[in-house]
Amino acid sequence: MVAESQAMTGKKLYALTFDDGPDTEKSSKILDRLEIHGVPASFFVVGSRISDESRPILQRARSLSCEIENHGWSYDPMDGMSREEIVRSVSACSDAIQKAVGEEPCFFRPPNLALSPTMLDTIAYPMVGGIAAMDWQGCHTTARQRADKILSQICDGAILLLHDVQPDPHPTPQALDLLLPALERLGYRCVSLRTLFSLRGGIPSPGERKLWVNVPPLCLSHKRADPPGWNG
């Protein structure tokens, strides 16, 4: 990590993330684009969608240096849930991820980005949001509009929030073909979410009580070196 940190000094970085999978068809289209462009991403998965059929998608993602993170057991917002319901949802998703790829997740993204004090007190993962492409709006946004939405908000350390799974038409894979080269031309480099945090102070503790959307250099007051079981 020291050598990588030195190589990234002065670089503009961002992390690419996707929500709501896995799906054998739609997640595969995203992975195809990531493989073509040679960039990693972090997938915030819904635990109930992990099955024998979708597990190979997660394993392929890991083979492409992507990360698998926690988005809860279902799509239901959790800000109205009790502590016990929150624990069940997050734990069940983590268990499904562990069984699928042999690793514990490191981050949590709240469904619909809905947060409550109970969630902040209960969930034992740092929480991330991100700058959105508005790609949950179906036919109302084109690939170009989705790419331009991100480009209008991009900054050093940004976490990009997109979706691999949404109802059709869903041109986010095509948006990546516009977005990723444009970011490269602007001097940005894509790194995984865990790498972004690790290069900039360390993985935050859940006690930060914060929804991270951006990771500026040396921003963290509480840190630890690497997530458990992470090989970099």
Side-chain angles (χ1 to χ4, degrees), residues 55-155:
R55 192 171 295 116
I57 297 297
L58 301 185
Q59 294 167 348
R60 181 188 175 198
R62 284 299 294 123
S63 75
L64 296 175
S65 299
C66 296
E67 298 160 354
I68 312 301
E69 307 294 358
N70 192 314
H71 199 34
W73 180 252
S74 71
Y75 294 107
D76 296 332
M78 298 170 65
D79 55 327
M81 291 184 180
S82 68
R83 182 184 185 280
E84 291 73 21
E85 291 171 324
I86 292 167
V87 169
R88 282 197 297 271
S89 178
V90 175
S91 297
C93 184
S94 289
D95 289 346
I97 292 170
Q98 176 73 36
K99 290 176 183 177
V101 298
E103 296 175 345
E104 181 183 354
C106 183
F107 293 97
F108 175 80
R109 177 172 283 145
N112 295 350
L113 298 182
L115 272 176
S116 69
T118 304
M119 293 172 68
L120 290 168
D121 291 339
T122 301
I123 296 173
Y125 297 111
M127 301 190 196
V128 298
I131 62 174
M134 309 303 289
D135 64 344
W136 58 82
Q137 294 186 342
C139 62
H140 300 295
T141 55
T142 65
R144 170 55 67 185
Q145 289 171 326
R146 295 175 187 203
D148 287 347
K149 186 71 174 177
I150 293 291
L151 292 170
S152 70
Q153 305 172 82
I154 193 64
C155 61

